Amino acid sequence: DILNLQTTKAVFHLRHFVNFLFFFIALIFFFVIISKRFNNYLLSVLGTLFLFISPRIFAESFYNSKDILFLSFSIINIYFALKFIEKQNLNNLILFTICSGILLNIRAMGLIPIFLVCAIIFFEIIEKEKLYADKVKKILLYLFLTFLITFIFWPYLWLDPLKNFFTYLYYVKNFPLIFSNLYLGEDILSNETPWHYLFIWVAISIPLSTLFISFFGIILVLSKFLKNILSFDENNELWLDNEERTDFFILLSFLFPVLASLIYRH
């Protein structure tokens, strides 16, 4: 209405532009995350290009207003999460709260990074045994403001927040629209997908170069994580520096939604 769009074509063009705009903004944050982690310009550009030119993601960045929007805000949320974990000042808290509230509003899976951030900060509280009260207050304030923002931007929750939220989760799990998929030469119903459905679709829709590099990176970070766990005692830490903590947080942000999806659907 503001732009006085008169045709359906113009409306769709605007929709595609806005959808891609969010994705493009997320790419900037993605570049900054890599740059801060590795301090290497060429590596940051290369990593961003891997995401940008991935065929399926690039195509859907224009029209998929649910998955790509969630992906975009997940990237932005990771950036502010890392800043908040590093320093729990008021500015980082507010920005992270806004991103977390929007992310949770887009999809309930947005609960996972909220849980991960709180878990990491609580672990550091226990490990370092300092600023206990101050950090707990910041976490409680973060949780309160995050759910407040989610509530404000989600009208369905206004009448009965808890009941309607769990009703929504039940609706997602038991989605009423059932359709048929051609999968590995067989027709299967969308509510009867096998456990490997997600992995197969990821494997066939992402370039092999990206898959191999990603797999290598996951194995590398996991091996470090497991090594730290196996050697953990009162004199050791789960992460030796901020770089390892960043790696673990991003890895868990990737793995937890996959595991949650498998458990939730099956």
Side-chain angles (χ1 to χ4, degrees):
D1 290 338
I2 295 175
L3 298 178
N4 193 29
L5 302 179
Q6 301 295 328
T7 65
T8 302
K9 181 179 180 180
V11 172
F12 271 88
H13 281 176
L14 177 63
R15 174 180 178 270
H16 290 187
F17 171 75
V18 171
N19 208 66
F20 182 79
L21 182 62
F22 277 112
F23 178 62
F24 185 79
I25 293 172
L27 288 174
I28 298 173
F29 280 91
F30 191 71
F31 174 86
V32 175
I33 291 171
I34 301 175
S35 181
K36 286 174 66 68
R37 168 60 182 84
F38 296 101
N39 195 28
N40 186 308
Y41 178 79
L42 291 178
L43 192 62
S44 304
V45 171
L46 182 63
T48 305
L49 280 175
F50 270 117
L51 175 62
F52 179 60
I53 64 177
S54 182
R56 183 177 181 183
I57 293 177
F58 178 76
E60 296 196 13
S61 67
F62 293 96
Y63 63 84
N64 189 331
S65 56
K66 194 69 175 178
D67 298 322
I68 296 299
L69 190 64
F70 184 74
L71 169 65
S72 300
F73 271 97
S74 292
I75 293 170
I76 297 171
N77 190 67
I78 285 175
Y79 170 79
F80 287 110
L82 293 172
K83 287 179 67 69
F84 181 68
I85 292 171
E86 184 177 351
K87 190 174 183 180
Q88 290 97 49
N89 59 33
L90 185 60
N91 183 57
N92 289 340
L93 186 148
I94 292 173
L95 292 174
F96 182 43
T97 295
I98 294 172
C99 289
S100 298
I102 295 175
L103 187 67
L104 184 55
N105 198 286
I106 297 173
R107 286 221 163 140
M109 200 72 78
L111 284 169
I112 291 176
I114 294 174
F115 164 77
L116 288 177
V117 169
C118 293
I120 286 177
I121 294 177
F122 268 120
F123 179 82
E124 292 190 336
I125 290 173
I126 296 170
E127 184 182 60
K128 297 179 180 178
E129 297 181 348
K130 62 180 183 178
L131 300 175
Y132 180 85
D134 181 64
K135 288 181 178 290
V136 170
K137 287 179 183 178
K138 293 287 178 59
I139 289 177
L140 292 177
L141 180 59
Y142 159 67
L143 291 174
F144 171 76
L145 292 177
T146 295
F147 290 113
L148 178 62
I149 290 175
T150 303
F151 175 80
I152 291 173
F153 285 96
W154 197 344
Y156 179 63
L157 302 180
W158 290 355
L159 295 179
D160 194 337
L162 284 177
K163 178 183 177 183
N164 287 351
F165 182 74
F166 285 108
T167 300
Y168 163 76
L169 293 180
Y170 177 82
Y171 175 83
V172 171
K173 181 175 175 59
N174 302 276
F175 191 61
L177 180 60
I178 299 175
F179 50 89
S180 178
N181 288 286
L182 179 61
Y183 178 70
L184 298 181
E186 298 181 6
D187 285 324
I188 61 171
L189 297 179
S190 56
N191 63 335
E192 296 178 356
T193 55
W195 67 269
H196 48 75
Y197 180 84
L198 175 63
F199 299 101
I200 294 295
W201 269 111
V202 168
I204 66 176
S205 61
I206 293 179
L208 287 177
S209 57
T210 304
L211 279 177
F212 285 130
I213 294 173
S214 300
F215 184 74
F216 176 76
I218 290 171
I219 296 299
L220 186 64
V221 175
L222 267 179
S223 62
K224 286 184 179 180
F225 194 33
L226 292 175
K227 181 180 178 181
N228 289 356
I229 290 176
L230 293 175
S231 62
F232 184 76
D233 57 38
E234 60 182 11
N235 298 317
N236 294 323
E237 300 178 346
L238 277 180
W239 42 82
L240 302 179
D241 50 36
N242 289 340
E243 291 182 354
E244 280 198 0
R245 183 179 63 189
T246 298
D247 293 342
F248 296 152
F249 176 73
I250 293 176
L251 177 66
L252 293 176
S253 297
F254 167 75
L255 292 180
F256 271 41
V258 175
L259 295 175
S261 177
L262 293 174
I263 295 171
Y264 192 61
R265 289 185 61 83
H266 301 283

